Amino acid sequence: MSRSTTTAIDIAVVGGGPAGLTAALYAGRNRLTTILFEPKEPGGQLLNTELIEDYPGVASVLGVDLAAVMAQQAQAFGAVFVREGITSVERLDSGRIALIDERGTSYEAGAVILTAGGNPRKLGVVGEEEFAGRGVSYCAVCDGAFFRGKDLIVVGGGDAALEEGVYLTRYANSVKIVHRRDTFRAQEVLVEAARKHPKVQFQLGTTVEQITGDGAVTGVVLRDAVTGATSEAPTGGVFIFVGFTPNTGLLKGHVQHDSAGFYVTDARTMMTSVPGVFAAGDVRSQLTRQITTAVGDATTAAIAATKWVEERSGQPAESATTAQSALPAQTPGFSA
Ligand code: NAP
């Protein structure tokens, strides 16, 4: 007869980007039994980022290398990585949190830290995927410095396009904001700032049909939204800001989201509106989405989650060595 296979742990971290890896590091170092669930290699958006130059204390590092070190560090402090996605998170009457992974395995945690990140929306045009990281970017702060002296195209008409477009002028020779309508979704203050900037031009009522190049981006094919006429424009890079989709569907209906779908959290603890469920990084409603902010959020969330678990168990966490025996084995082949 089979026994219940629910694994009881202190902290479950859902997602293995910089926020998740940091939360796992702190929770493990706090000597709590910690599992990080991530269906892919750990690193999240770090794995899509070539060179990182704005992580304090590290003058320059490849995203993939930073991810590997962060993962090793979390595992060294006792966090176990399970290479599975989580399909369900539910608060039980007991106050503990039930999780089920993609293979149907059940876990019960004292606290959960949601760090599943999100993805910039894609334009879906020819050349976008081919030139990603070679002239196509979704992050001005991350990549702007690689486009010094270039004439750039920014796609979108929301806050991100207008704000990041102006940000790019510190490196670029010129920035042309291409937007499919002739009115903006962005706040007027951001539109005004862009209009006033001598390096910013607009091409409204226009869509980008194709991104062209030879090894790296050299141009775009534009289409007039009214006449349908197409034209070619040379460019040294295309920054796409047509929205960001947070991976917050897991708990839809369970926690408070902002109008764009991000989790609203308590600023002091990073707790969501569900007691015992915390959120950090790109899933959280906040001004910006940087590695440093993800790491900061996750530090707060892990410390708050530790207190949450300890207050409910009435004692400090058991020793990591003892706790470790309660955990499943590290997913085989899940390298860090
Ligand atoms: P957003 O507000 O959803 O705007 C996306 C823009 O991309 C819209 O102008 C949209 O055009 C355009 N777009 C969408 N799909 C497109 C496509 N397939 N082809 C061409 N254009 C397309 O997204 P966001 O600017 O990333 O902002 C996301 C959230 O973060 C918002 O809530 C925003 O307020 C917030 N945010 C705030 C700040 C700030 O306060 N400083 C900065 C950045 C982001 P249409 O307008 O025609 O739909």
Side-chain angles (χ1 to χ4, degrees):
M1 207 163 71
S2 68
R3 292 191 303 129
S4 161
T5 55
T6 299
T7 303
I9 56 174
D10 291 321
I11 296 202
V13 178
V14 181
L21 295 171
T22 304
L25 183 161
Y26 272 84
R29 194 161 185 267
N30 284 340
R31 304 176 80 76
L32 296 174
T33 53
T34 302
I35 297 183
L36 179 146
F37 296 93
E38 166 59 63
K40 302 189 196 130
E41 279 294 310
Q45 296 289 333
L46 287 179
L47 303 181
N48 302 325
T49 309
E50 182 68 7
L51 199 61
I52 295 160
E53 293 181 322
D54 55 3
Y55 195 74
V58 184
S60 145
V61 63
L62 292 175
V64 65
D65 291 343
L66 184 58
V69 175
M70 282 185 170
Q72 284 159 7
Q73 216 175 345
Q75 288 175 318
F77 282 117
V80 166
F81 288 18
V82 169
R83 196 166 184 158
E84 296 290 343
I86 288 294
T87 56
S88 154
V89 178
E90 194 180 0
R91 186 168 189 267
L92 303 172
D93 289 344
S94 64
R96 286 175 63 81
I97 316 292
L99 301 98
I100 300 176
D101 75 13
E102 282 166 337
R103 285 192 306 167
T105 309
S106 303
Y107 299 85
E108 204 184 290
V112 172
I113 305 175
L114 299 169
T115 63
N119 300 299
R121 263 188 232 136
K122 304 285 189 294
L123 261 186
V125 299
V126 172
E128 181 178 18
E129 209 175 308
E130 180 183 350
F131 296 114
R134 288 184 293 142
V136 171
S137 170
Y138 303 87
C139 179
V141 177
C142 320
D143 297 335
F146 304 116
F147 292 83
R148 277 177 220 277
K150 304 269 189 194
D151 296 306
L152 301 179
I153 287 195
V154 163
V155 189
D159 286 345
L162 276 289
E163 197 169 65
E164 308 291 316
V166 169
Y167 176 87
L168 286 167
T169 59
R170 67 189 65 196
Y171 305 109
N173 179 52
S174 72
V175 172
K176 182 183 282 180
I177 298 177
V178 175
H179 177 37
R180 63 184 175 185
R181 294 187 296 134
D182 55 8
T183 55
F184 293 97
R185 188 178 293 272
Q187 302 164 60
E188 191 50 35
V189 63
L190 298 177
V191 177
E192 268 312 296
R195 279 196 206 285
K196 280 190 196 144
H197 201 288
K199 284 189 180 180
V200 177
Q201 305 140 32
F202 291 95
Q203 186 151 351
L204 304 182
T206 302
T207 55
V208 171
E209 288 293 293
Q210 188 179 343
I211 298 168
T212 55
D214 182 10
V217 168
T218 55
V220 287
V221 176
L222 302 174
R223 182 183 292 276
D224 186 298
V226 176
T227 66
T230 58
S231 59
E232 290 184 31
T235 184
V238 181
F239 281 75
I240 298 169
F241 301 109
V242 296
F244 182 89
T245 310
N247 294 325
T248 51
L250 187 64
L251 279 175
K252 228 172 221 157
H254 293 261
V255 295
Q256 203 183 335
H257 296 78
D258 69 11
S259 59
F262 295 86
Y263 294 131
V264 173
T265 54
D266 176 75
R268 209 177 70 84
T269 61
M270 303 292 151
M271 185 139 72
T272 66
S273 54
V274 174
V277 178
F278 300 77
D282 287 358
V283 290
R284 194 172 86 78
S285 180
Q286 59 180 324
L287 177 67
T288 187
R289 294 185 283 271
Q290 299 295 304
I291 305 168
T292 45
T293 52
V295 161
D297 288 355
T299 305
T300 303
I303 290 170
T306 299
K307 286 182 191 294
W308 178 267
V309 169
E310 288 181 353
E311 279 166 16
R312 269 141 201 87
S313 71
Q315 56 190 18
E318 57 187 313
S319 91
T321 318
T322 315
Q324 204 61 29
S325 61
L327 295 176
Q330 202 85 239
T331 297
F334 194 6
S335 61

